[in-house]
Short mmCIF file of all heavy atoms in Angstrom, two decimals:
data_model
loop_
_atom_site.label_atom_id
_atom_site.label_comp_id
_atom_site.label_asym_id
_atom_site.label_seq_id
_atom_site.Cartn_x
_atom_site.Cartn_y
_atom_site.Cartn_z
N ASP A 1487 -5.08 -1.30 3.89
CA ASP A 1487 -6.30 -1.93 4.52
C ASP A 1487 -7.11 -0.92 4.98
O ASP A 1487 -7.70 -0.96 6.22
CB ASP A 1487 -5.94 -3.00 5.49
CG ASP A 1487 -5.03 -4.14 4.98
OD1 ASP A 1487 -3.95 -3.82 4.64
OD2 ASP A 1487 -5.61 -5.30 4.81
N GLY A 1515 -2.97 -2.19 -0.50
CA GLY A 1515 -3.99 -3.11 -0.78
C GLY A 1515 -5.26 -3.21 0.15
O GLY A 1515 -4.99 -2.84 1.32
N ASP A 1516 -6.35 -3.48 -0.28
CA ASP A 1516 -7.69 -3.62 0.49
C ASP A 1516 -8.12 -2.20 0.65
O ASP A 1516 -7.91 -1.49 1.65
CB ASP A 1516 -7.41 -4.37 1.84
CG ASP A 1516 -7.33 -5.88 1.58
OD1 ASP A 1516 -7.54 -6.28 0.48
OD2 ASP A 1516 -7.30 -6.56 2.61
N TYR A 1519 -13.45 -2.55 0.93
CA TYR A 1519 -14.25 -3.71 1.87
C TYR A 1519 -15.75 -3.82 1.41
O TYR A 1519 -16.60 -4.18 2.17
CB TYR A 1519 -14.01 -3.56 3.24
CG TYR A 1519 -12.56 -3.90 3.77
CD1 TYR A 1519 -11.58 -2.90 3.51
CD2 TYR A 1519 -12.30 -5.03 4.27
CE1 TYR A 1519 -10.24 -3.14 3.87
CE2 TYR A 1519 -11.04 -5.34 4.67
CZ TYR A 1519 -9.96 -4.45 4.38
OH TYR A 1519 -8.76 -4.74 4.79
N GLY A 1552 -5.24 -5.99 -3.20
CA GLY A 1552 -5.34 -6.86 -2.01
C GLY A 1552 -6.42 -7.97 -2.29
O GLY A 1552 -7.22 -7.74 -3.28
N ASN A 1553 -6.80 -8.64 -1.31
CA ASN A 1553 -7.74 -9.73 -1.56
C ASN A 1553 -9.25 -9.20 -1.47
O ASN A 1553 -10.09 -9.68 -2.23
CB ASN A 1553 -7.60 -10.85 -0.39
CG ASN A 1553 -7.66 -10.25 0.87
OD1 ASN A 1553 -6.86 -9.44 1.34
ND2 ASN A 1553 -8.72 -10.61 1.77
N HIS A 1554 -9.42 -8.01 -0.88
CA HIS A 1554 -10.68 -7.38 -0.95
C HIS A 1554 -11.02 -6.76 -2.42
O HIS A 1554 -12.06 -6.05 -2.44
CB HIS A 1554 -10.90 -6.41 0.09
CG HIS A 1554 -11.06 -7.18 1.52
ND1 HIS A 1554 -12.23 -7.94 1.87
CD2 HIS A 1554 -10.31 -7.38 2.50
CE1 HIS A 1554 -12.13 -8.53 2.99
NE2 HIS A 1554 -10.91 -8.24 3.41
N TYR A 1605 -2.16 -11.94 -5.34
CA TYR A 1605 -3.35 -12.76 -5.83
C TYR A 1605 -3.28 -13.04 -7.33
O TYR A 1605 -4.34 -13.13 -7.97
CB TYR A 1605 -4.70 -12.21 -5.34
CG TYR A 1605 -4.54 -11.91 -3.92
CD1 TYR A 1605 -4.36 -10.76 -3.29
CD2 TYR A 1605 -4.61 -13.11 -3.06
CE1 TYR A 1605 -4.11 -10.63 -1.86
CE2 TYR A 1605 -4.53 -12.99 -1.66
CZ TYR A 1605 -4.25 -11.65 -1.22
OH TYR A 1605 -4.05 -11.61 0.25
N HIS A 1638 0.62 -7.19 -1.02
CA HIS A 1638 -0.41 -7.16 0.07
C HIS A 1638 -0.13 -8.12 1.21
O HIS A 1638 -0.18 -7.85 2.41
CB HIS A 1638 -1.76 -7.40 -0.57
CG HIS A 1638 -2.98 -7.30 0.33
ND1 HIS A 1638 -3.17 -6.13 0.99
CD2 HIS A 1638 -3.77 -8.23 0.88
CE1 HIS A 1638 -4.20 -6.23 1.79
NE2 HIS A 1638 -4.52 -7.46 1.83
N HIS A 1648 -3.73 -14.57 9.01
CA HIS A 1648 -3.14 -14.64 7.78
C HIS A 1648 -1.73 -15.24 7.88
O HIS A 1648 -0.86 -15.09 7.06
CB HIS A 1648 -3.04 -13.42 6.95
CG HIS A 1648 -4.35 -12.73 6.98
ND1 HIS A 1648 -5.58 -13.37 6.37
CD2 HIS A 1648 -4.81 -11.47 7.21
CE1 HIS A 1648 -6.38 -12.65 6.29
NE2 HIS A 1648 -6.05 -11.34 6.81
N GLY A 1674 0.44 -5.30 3.59
CA GLY A 1674 -0.61 -4.92 4.40
C GLY A 1674 -1.30 -6.35 4.88
O GLY A 1674 -0.67 -7.09 5.68
N HIS A 1675 -2.62 -6.43 4.74
CA HIS A 1675 -3.31 -7.61 4.93
C HIS A 1675 -3.54 -7.87 6.40
O HIS A 1675 -4.71 -8.22 6.87
CB HIS A 1675 -2.56 -8.81 4.35
CG HIS A 1675 -3.40 -9.98 4.03
ND1 HIS A 1675 -4.79 -9.87 3.69
CD2 HIS A 1675 -3.21 -11.26 3.91
CE1 HIS A 1675 -5.18 -11.15 3.41
NE2 HIS A 1675 -4.26 -12.02 3.62
N VAL A 1676 -2.50 -7.91 7.20
CA VAL A 1676 -2.63 -8.29 8.58
C VAL A 1676 -2.95 -6.93 9.32
O VAL A 1676 -2.32 -5.96 9.10
CB VAL A 1676 -1.36 -8.88 9.26
CG1 VAL A 1676 -1.57 -9.11 10.79
CG2 VAL A 1676 -1.08 -10.11 8.55
N HIS A 1677 -4.09 -6.75 10.08
CA HIS A 1677 -4.62 -5.58 10.63
C HIS A 1677 -4.04 -5.20 11.88
O HIS A 1677 -4.52 -5.10 12.96
CB HIS A 1677 -6.17 -5.60 10.78
CG HIS A 1677 -6.84 -5.96 9.45
ND1 HIS A 1677 -8.14 -6.45 9.39
CD2 HIS A 1677 -6.50 -5.81 8.15
CE1 HIS A 1677 -8.34 -6.59 8.15
NE2 HIS A 1677 -7.53 -6.17 7.44
N GLU A 1718 -13.19 -4.90 9.75
CA GLU A 1718 -12.85 -6.23 10.23
C GLU A 1718 -12.19 -6.06 11.68
O GLU A 1718 -12.00 -7.09 12.34
CB GLU A 1718 -11.96 -6.98 9.25
CG GLU A 1718 -12.74 -7.35 8.06
CD GLU A 1718 -11.92 -8.13 7.03
OE1 GLU A 1718 -10.61 -8.08 7.06
OE2 GLU A 1718 -12.58 -8.74 6.05
FE1 FE2 B 2144 -6.17 -8.45 2.95
#
Side-chain angles (χ1 to χ4, degrees):
D1487 303 68
D1516 285 357
Y1519 289 76
N1553 51 304
H1554 290 284
Y1605 306 101
H1638 186 62
H1648 304 307
H1675 200 36
V1676 179
H1677 302 158
E1718 291 178 343

